[in-house]
Amino acid sequence: MSNDFSVDAEWDKLYIGGEWTESESGETIPNEDPSTREVFTEVAAATEADVDAAYEAAAAAQEEWADAPPARRQAVVEQFDEAVQNHRDEIIELLAHEVGGSAIMGETSIQIAGDHASEAATLPRRMKGEHVTSNIPGKENLVQREPKGVVTVISPWNFPLNLSMRAVAPAIAAGNAVVLKPSTESPITGGLLFAKLFEETDIPDGLVNVVTGRGSEIGDHIASHPESDVVSFTGSTEVGQHVAGLAGENLAVPAMELGGNNAFVVTDDADLDRALDGATFGSFVHQGQVCISINRHIVHEDVYDEYVERLTERAESLPLGSAHDDDTIVGPIVNESQRDEMLDYVERTVEQGATLETGGETADLDGVDDSLVVKPTVLSGVTNDMAAACNEHFGPIAPVIPFSDVDEAVELANATEYGLSGAVHSGDLEVAKDIADRMETGNVHINDQPINDEAHVPFSGIGASGVGTYNSDAFLHEITETKWISIQHDAREYPF
Ligand code: NAD
């Protein structure tokens, strides 16, 4: 299976212990292209026995890797980063086939994944210990940082390349082994691709293992595996809570990045041109299927009507279509159930009294039965309790909620169990900073939109949006242990 990264390559094996192997059951799962609705390949459905084999290989390989010098680990991650760049066109093509990623989504994925890989390559030389003065006479305290062991990575389908990357690359760099389980919607770009890319490096066999399969069949076995020391999970809050419980029972560290309901606050003195640029990108890029997309627009009543009118014009101007068409901005939703759920939120929001300004239905695609492309949708007269506002709609949907003063804007923004990302547009930076301080989220961006990820900047969700922090030293701490070694140089006086 190595070296062919094309859509037509064989993708129906698991990668365990450096070998491409059939699943024990021989069963496969179809992989549908959301633009054409055609199955373009099949992937293996791993069994619990396959999962056990993956952990066994990982645990065995990790022992030696933990002792590999920093320069060796750095070199492997740099080679991996280079492999990503060398195969960028094939990867973008795979993202379009597998998850309906437009050219912008593909390019962005490569850019962010590259950022995470190159940041991870610096970690081996940054795993520093400490020398801490002791209260006990004649004692020397050393604190070492060591890899945890085996890091389980469970990733979602929406931005599969970089969401797997942000855990896999640092884990390997820090001296761990990995068992990677991608979503069944993105088994290649969130999983199998990593095995092929690592095959182009000098990584020892067994350090990276990829098991494709249904979360409902092998998920619990993975999340609770006794060989797993960290469970890095990105996905929905519902599944994440369950997975964190299983990881906790096993005393594995849960690093959970979950759902969001991100607010985009626009005050009356905001630069509306800039706000609308951010609003259009933050709501509609990758069809709104980003955990840090704008879920709710919270807009001052004095600029509300103009904002709704101009956002509607912008939504209607976006080119829709197949992810394989270079001009497409808004491509297909990943699958039928996601599409139906978001359209249901829109319908219910209108029933609850909102006005549908535009969208709210699928767009026809030439030659495709039952298209998955949803027209960019703007809803006005929305309140926080309406379906498209109180749920993570995960679609190209912009519910716009009015407010009359800053306190109300903050109250509306915070009226959700989630706390992932957000943004504030204001002409007064003091006001914007005050709102950002009061917004209960892990990330807030002033005079921008909420979709930001930089590998050297800590990224976390609070409340129902997660536990733990990704990126930079923060994630290094999740995937490493500290170990205290003391040396009693002089004879110590004990009480007896
Ligand atoms: P999901 O929760 O349905 O699935 C995530 C992963 O969990 C998949 O690989 C799935 O196969 C696996 N899984 C399912 N059941 C499992 C089980 N019992 N045990 C172990 N694993 C199991 O999420 P999704 O639909 O793939 O992704 C969309 C969700 O992810 C949205 O809620 C979005 O907000 C969230 N997300 C969060 C972030 C973040 O950084 N906070 C980033 C991207 C996506």
Side-chain angles (χ1 to χ4, degrees):
M1 288 207 6
S2 57
N3 294 328
D4 184 357
F5 288 77
S6 71
V7 169
D8 302 325
E10 278 180 36
W11 294 104
D12 59 352
K13 307 258 189 322
L14 309 170
Y15 190 70
I16 298 174
E19 303 279 336
W20 291 100
T21 57
E22 304 233 336
S23 105
E24 193 214 25
S25 67
E27 209 199 308
T28 57
I29 303 171
N31 197 344
E32 183 184 292
D33 178 332
S35 296
T36 62
R37 308 291 320 263
E38 283 166 7
V39 172
F40 70 95
T41 195
E42 302 264 340
V43 298
T47 63
E48 291 190 357
D50 296 318
V51 168
D52 290 339
Y55 278 101
E56 200 180 313
Q62 195 268 334
E63 282 185 28
E64 235 178 88
W65 187 240
D67 294 331
R72 162 116 175 80
R73 286 186 267 128
Q74 178 184 350
V76 163
V77 180
E78 282 173 351
Q79 289 165 347
F80 174 63
D81 185 15
E82 207 178 308
V84 173
Q85 302 308 327
N86 289 343
H87 292 286
R88 67 191 311 283
D89 292 347
E90 295 135 293
I91 297 173
I92 290 172
E93 179 86 15
L94 283 165
L95 284 165
H97 274 80
E98 196 166 63
V99 294
S102 66
I104 292 177
M105 184 272 187
E107 298 282 349
T108 309
S109 296
I110 296 281
Q111 183 264 316
I112 299 176
D115 188 30
H116 281 282
S118 49
E119 170 72 12
T122 69
L123 294 183
R125 293 181 196 258
R126 285 167 43 202
M127 279 178 64
K128 296 203 171 79
E130 279 182 284
H131 191 272
V132 186
T133 312
S134 176
N135 285 320
I136 299 164
K139 180 181 285 294
E140 184 183 4
N141 283 326
L142 305 169
V143 181
Q144 292 175 192
R145 188 162 287 284
E146 298 181 353
K148 281 266 185 204
V150 177
V151 176
T152 299
V153 180
I154 303 175
S155 61
W157 52 264
N158 63 315
F159 258 89
L161 180 74
N162 41 294
L163 293 172
S164 290
M165 180 67 80
R166 70 177 178 175
V168 172
I172 293 296
N176 299 285
V178 166
V179 174
L180 169 60
K181 196 215 82 65
S183 162
T184 37
E185 300 293 342
S186 54
I188 300 174
T189 49
L192 298 166
L193 183 64
F194 285 72
K196 288 203 178 190
L197 292 166
F198 270 112
E199 280 196 320
E200 299 197 348
T201 73
D202 297 326
I203 198 167
D205 288 346
L207 278 182
V208 172
N209 304 276
V210 183
V211 283
T212 52
R214 295 185 183 89
S216 54
E217 287 170 11
I218 53 167
D220 285 10
H221 195 61
I222 291 176
S224 61
H225 205 282
E227 288 289 3
S228 172
D229 299 294
V230 178
V231 177
S232 158
F233 176 93
T234 305
S236 63
T237 299
E238 191 190 357
V239 177
Q241 263 176 329
H242 172 70
V243 166
L246 293 173
E249 273 173 36
N250 194 29
L251 298 182
V253 174
M256 322 295 296
E257 287 293 349
L258 310 175
N261 184 342
N262 312 300
F264 182 81
V265 176
V266 181
T267 64
D268 53 353
D269 60 352
D271 176 338
L272 274 197
D273 292 337
R274 278 183 64 178
L276 283 154
D277 285 347
T280 308
F281 179 84
S283 267
F284 302 126
V285 71
H286 196 36
Q287 297 77 264
Q289 302 170 116
V290 191
C291 55
I292 43 184
S293 290
I294 302 171
N295 205 69
R296 291 169 296 150
H297 299 242
I298 298 177
V299 179
H300 194 276
E301 59 193 9
D302 288 354
V303 292
Y304 186 86
D305 290 344
E306 181 184 351
Y307 184 92
V308 168
E309 192 184 325
R310 291 176 63 188
L311 186 61
T312 302
E313 278 166 21
R314 296 288 294 266
E316 288 173 348
S317 73
L318 297 174
L320 316 177
S322 158
H324 305 295
D325 182 342
D326 283 347
D327 297 332
T328 294
I329 299 285
V330 178
I333 299 305
V334 75
N335 62 31
E336 237 169 82
S337 65
Q338 285 284 131
R339 179 202 60 187
D340 294 348
E341 186 179 67
M342 67 185 66
L343 288 175
D344 181 56
Y345 288 144
V346 173
E347 205 179 303
R348 280 164 47 201
T349 303
V350 173
E351 280 166 16
Q352 288 168 315
T355 303
L356 179 65
E357 300 284 343
T358 189
E361 58 183 1
T362 53
D364 290 336
L365 274 193
D366 273 355
V368 180
D369 261 353
D370 198 17
S371 145
L372 294 178
V373 176
V374 170
K375 291 184 183 171
T377 300
V378 178
L379 291 157
S380 64
V382 178
T383 52
N384 243 352
D385 54 347
M386 294 181 177
C390 63
N391 293 291
E392 183 188 35
H393 53 67
F394 227 56
I397 298 164
V400 195
I401 301 169
F403 73 87
S404 55
D405 63 42
V406 162
D407 288 344
E408 189 189 4
V410 172
E411 201 177 308
L412 287 167
N414 288 341
T416 166
E417 59 177 341
Y418 295 106
L420 192 54
S421 193
V424 187
H425 273 262
S426 175
D428 183 336
L429 280 184
E430 294 300 321
V431 171
K433 175 67 169 46
D434 173 52
I435 295 174
D437 281 339
R438 292 162 66 195
M439 279 171 76
E440 291 158 5
T441 61
N443 317 288
V444 190
H445 303 282
I446 292 172
N447 290 344
D448 192 5
Q449 45 70 50
I451 306 176
N452 284 277
D453 182 18
E454 297 187 47
H456 60 294
V457 185
F459 180 104
S460 52
I462 60 172
S465 293
V467 180
T469 304
Y470 278 79
N471 299 355
S472 184
D473 284 345
F475 193 61
L476 181 63
H477 289 188
E478 309 269 357
I479 54 176
T480 53
E481 303 268 17
T482 51
K483 180 173 184 174
W484 174 19
I485 296 179
S486 83
I487 307 168
Q488 189 64 41
H489 291 285
D490 304 326
R492 184 169 170 184
E493 278 185 30
Y494 299 102
F496 58 89

